[in-house]
Amino acid sequence: MNFVSNFTDVDDKIIKKAVEEGVSSQEISSRYIEECKKDMADMNVKPATLHPLATQEIDGMLEMISTLIEKGFAYPVKDGTVYFRTRKFEEYGKLSHKNLDDLQAGHRDIKVTGEDKEDSLDFVLWKPKKEGEPYWESPWCQGRPGWHIECSVMAKKYLGEEIDIHAGGEDLIFPHHENEIAQSEACNGKIFSKYWLHNGFLNIDNKKMSKSLGNFFTVREISEKYDLQVLRFFMLSAHYRGSQKRSGAHCKCSRQSQTSEKERKVSVYDRRGNRNLERQPFVCGEI
């Protein structure tokens, strides 16, 4: 099995952080990528087969964008921005079950402003640089890729034109994954992914974890109170599509469950080395 998990190492937030610290975007992204890998290793999560970086795949992005333009699915405008013609892809919305003509108010949509756009729903494939930003040469302007095109290109290069399973958070279903489907299938003429797995949100004391609410915890903050294998046990204790509730009580319960499970495994065999089938795993009702 080939498991590919990419890192977006250039975007608006990374550039903003780099400007604030007076360093390069590459320094910021490299720092946080290494910190992420450390946290994953501390939780005993094996690395993916490959961890490609977006900035190393620019040539592939330029090639895919050019193909989409040739096929009529994309178009450049005066300032060098390249947009995807959303309505031309007739199956747009098949993952999220959204209708382009009936986007409901209050839902996250794909509208992006731009005077030269053919349609307000068209999304960006390539955008011109701003002062002080990193950029790459292209047939349209000096600039950088839009977020969505990165994933389509890396998936094609490392997994092929048609992949088996695509995963991510449920907040990525629309528009990100919907846009990936449109780009990839318009370019390659094949089904992009056979199966989609979207995980639910993590709730802290019955509220969605978010930076704006200030109710988030880092892996290292949690490690100060609990063994990270307890956190791993907690994350695996609920169905991946369901939202998870985290509180001190839930973590304590997970620690108790994990300890009991370890004891159960130790007690599977009696003193004579015979397998003891009567022992049952401990399950905590609060999780």
Side-chain angles (χ1 to χ4, degrees):
M1 181 182 74
N2 288 326
F3 172 37
V4 178
S5 178
N6 69 287
F7 287 108
T8 297
D9 56 342
V10 60
D11 63 12
D12 293 338
K13 292 181 179 179
I14 293 173
I15 292 172
K16 182 175 182 294
K17 182 70 172 176
V19 171
E20 291 174 352
E21 294 192 13
V23 298
S24 67
S25 298
Q26 182 180 9
E27 183 174 335
I28 294 294
S29 57
S30 297
R31 180 199 309 168
Y32 282 95
I33 287 171
E34 290 307 311
E35 294 299 310
C36 174
K37 289 181 177 179
K38 182 181 185 305
D39 286 344
M40 297 291 275
D42 288 345
M43 288 190 293
N44 199 29
V45 176
K46 293 182 179 179
T49 309
L50 291 168
H51 287 288
L53 303 178
T55 57
Q56 296 179 358
E57 309 298 335
I58 300 297
D59 288 344
M61 297 176 204
L62 298 177
E63 182 179 350
M64 180 173 283
I65 293 171
S66 296
T67 299
L68 291 171
I69 292 175
E70 292 172 5
K71 290 187 172 185
F73 283 98
Y75 60 94
V77 296
K78 293 178 182 178
D79 68 354
T81 303
V82 181
Y83 292 102
F84 184 89
R85 284 192 176 99
T86 305
R87 294 185 189 275
K88 185 173 176 60
F89 185 72
E90 296 180 356
E91 292 186 280
Y92 192 91
K94 63 181 179 180
L95 179 67
S96 60
H97 306 294
K98 290 183 180 292
N99 187 316
L100 285 175
D101 294 320
D102 193 30
L103 288 172
Q104 297 178 358
H107 284 250
R108 182 181 179 188
D109 61 37
I110 58 171
K111 294 181 180 179
V112 180
T113 58
E115 294 182 1
D116 297 325
K117 291 176 63 176
E118 296 178 355
D119 191 304
S120 63
L121 298 176
D122 294 346
F123 60 87
V124 174
L125 300 176
W126 186 268
K127 52 189 173 182
K129 68 174 183 178
K130 295 180 181 178
E131 186 66 31
E133 288 187 350
Y135 67 88
W136 289 264
E137 298 290 341
S138 82
W140 316 288
C141 69
Q142 294 177 332
R144 57 188 175 93
W147 177 35
H148 312 299
I149 195 69
E150 300 172 6
C151 299
S152 289
V153 169
M154 287 185 273
K156 180 179 180 179
K157 178 177 179 179
Y158 295 105
L159 296 171
E161 294 181 342
E162 185 176 9
I163 65 178
D164 294 315
I165 301 172
H166 196 314
E170 62 180 13
D171 55 327
L172 298 180
I173 296 174
F174 185 84
H176 183 51
H177 288 165
E178 200 71 74
N179 291 352
E180 278 190 73
I181 291 173
Q183 297 166 157
S184 296
E185 296 187 7
C187 177
N188 305 323
K190 298 180 180 180
I191 296 296
F192 178 44
S193 180
K194 297 177 183 178
Y195 300 97
W196 291 84
L197 304 180
H198 292 102
N199 61 275
F201 293 127
L202 176 61
N203 296 325
I204 306 296
D205 296 326
N206 295 318
K207 294 181 180 179
K208 178 185 172 182
M209 183 176 72
S210 67
K211 290 184 178 180
S212 60
L213 293 176
N215 64 339
F216 69 95
F217 300 89
T218 66
V219 170
R220 295 179 197 183
E221 288 173 338
I222 294 175
S223 70
E224 294 175 0
K225 293 184 178 181
Y226 302 97
D227 187 294
L228 287 180
Q229 295 312 300
V230 173
L231 175 60
R232 179 185 172 93
F233 189 94
F234 165 73
M235 298 297 290
L236 294 173
S237 64
H239 192 281
Y240 76 92
R241 285 202 306 266
S243 61
Q244 282 191 301
K245 298 179 180 179
R246 182 200 177 280
S247 66
H250 289 113
C251 285
K252 290 179 181 178
C253 189
S254 293
R255 180 168 58 188
Q256 183 181 2
S257 298
Q258 188 206 28
T259 301
S260 298
E261 179 68 10
K262 287 181 178 179
E263 293 174 350
R264 184 192 71 80
K265 289 181 179 179
V266 171
S267 303
V268 165
Y269 296 92
D270 61 23
R271 294 179 179 178
R272 296 181 180 180
N274 298 318
R275 187 173 177 82
N276 182 354
L277 300 179
E278 295 181 0
R279 296 300 297 258
Q280 298 296 324
F282 174 85
V283 178
C284 178
E286 290 188 31
I287 298 180

